[in-house]
Amino acid sequence: MIFYYYLLGIILGLSLAGPPGAVNSIIANESLKSKMHGTSVGAGAMSADFTFFLIVYFLRSYINLGILKFIYIIGGLFMLYLGMAVLKSKMPSKSRKGNYFIGLSMGLTNPFQILWWLTAGFFLLKELSILSVAGLFSGIIIWIFTFPYAINRFGYKYEKYIKYISAFIII
């Protein structure tokens, strides 16, 4: 039964990290530079997930809808900015540290991540074992290392298309 909860957590982690969206678009775009650039963005987004985990865990009954609406608006504006930056091929930062903060800020303002934690995250904490939480973050770690590797290894032939598709998804 212990392995079941951990495996279920990995699947939930991949369901959070894997879908096409703004964060994976930036990871793909940054992975064209190097695997580490993409992984750094993913690590920032995973830090945002850990922040949401803590918020949901400790404040489940006190989360205000007005705060969420404000975060959605800020997140939407940030996504538009990043989409345009991808089209121009100028990211806000070229350093790994800056890439981490791009992933962190995107994760903290990403409506998908917020909604995931308010739905599946609540379920995870209420119904499943703490091993599921460990599995969840294991699944995210698997994604943030394998996805940038695959893009860096095989995506260079499709760099132009990756940039256009990434910008479209973000906007």
Side-chain angles (χ1 to χ4, degrees), residues 113-125:
Q113 275 177 268
I114 295 167
L115 287 174
W116 191 96
W117 278 102
L118 291 176
T119 56
F122 273 126
F123 171 79
L124 175 76
L125 293 174

Side-chain angles (χ1 to χ4, degrees), residues 5-165:
Y5 283 123
Y6 183 73
L7 186 61
L8 186 58
I10 289 175
I11 292 167
L12 285 172
L14 291 171
S15 81
L16 176 59
V23 174
N24 278 329
S25 296
I26 296 296
I27 289 173
N29 192 57
E30 289 295 300
S31 295
L32 293 170
K33 297 174 193 169
S34 78
K35 294 174 278 210
M36 200 60 193
H37 278 81
T39 298
S40 180
V41 173
M46 184 176 72
S47 296
D49 287 319
F50 186 72
T51 302
F52 288 132
F53 161 71
L54 292 175
I55 290 170
V56 168
Y57 184 78
F58 290 112
L59 303 174
R60 330 179 242 255
S61 59
Y62 303 109
I63 295 175
N64 184 340
L65 187 61
I67 292 171
L68 290 178
K69 288 181 181 180
F70 177 74
I71 291 171
Y72 291 161
I73 291 168
I74 298 300
L77 294 172
F78 188 62
M79 298 299 169
L80 285 172
Y81 166 74
L82 285 173
M84 295 306 205
V86 168
L87 281 176
K88 295 177 182 178
S89 294
K90 293 181 182 173
M91 293 303 298
S93 174
K94 301 287 188 222
S95 72
R96 283 188 292 245
K97 180 179 177 185
N99 294 330
Y100 172 83
F101 288 112
I102 290 169
L104 177 63
S105 60
M106 286 183 72
L108 291 174
T109 60
N110 185 345
F112 172 76
Q113 275 177 268
I114 295 167
L115 287 174
W116 191 96
W117 278 102
L118 291 176
T119 56
F122 273 126
F123 171 79
L124 175 76
L125 293 174
K126 184 177 178 183
E127 303 293 330
L128 301 176
S129 160
I130 194 69
L131 286 172
S132 298
V133 175
L136 174 102
F137 284 101
S138 296
I140 294 171
I141 289 169
I142 290 167
W143 182 260
I144 66 173
F145 280 97
T146 57
F147 182 59
Y149 174 79
I151 292 293
N152 185 265
R153 178 101 163 104
F154 305 109
Y156 65 91
K157 297 181 216 173
Y158 308 103
E159 180 176 357
K160 180 171 83 171
Y161 302 109
I162 289 171
K163 286 184 185 208
Y164 289 140
I165 291 169

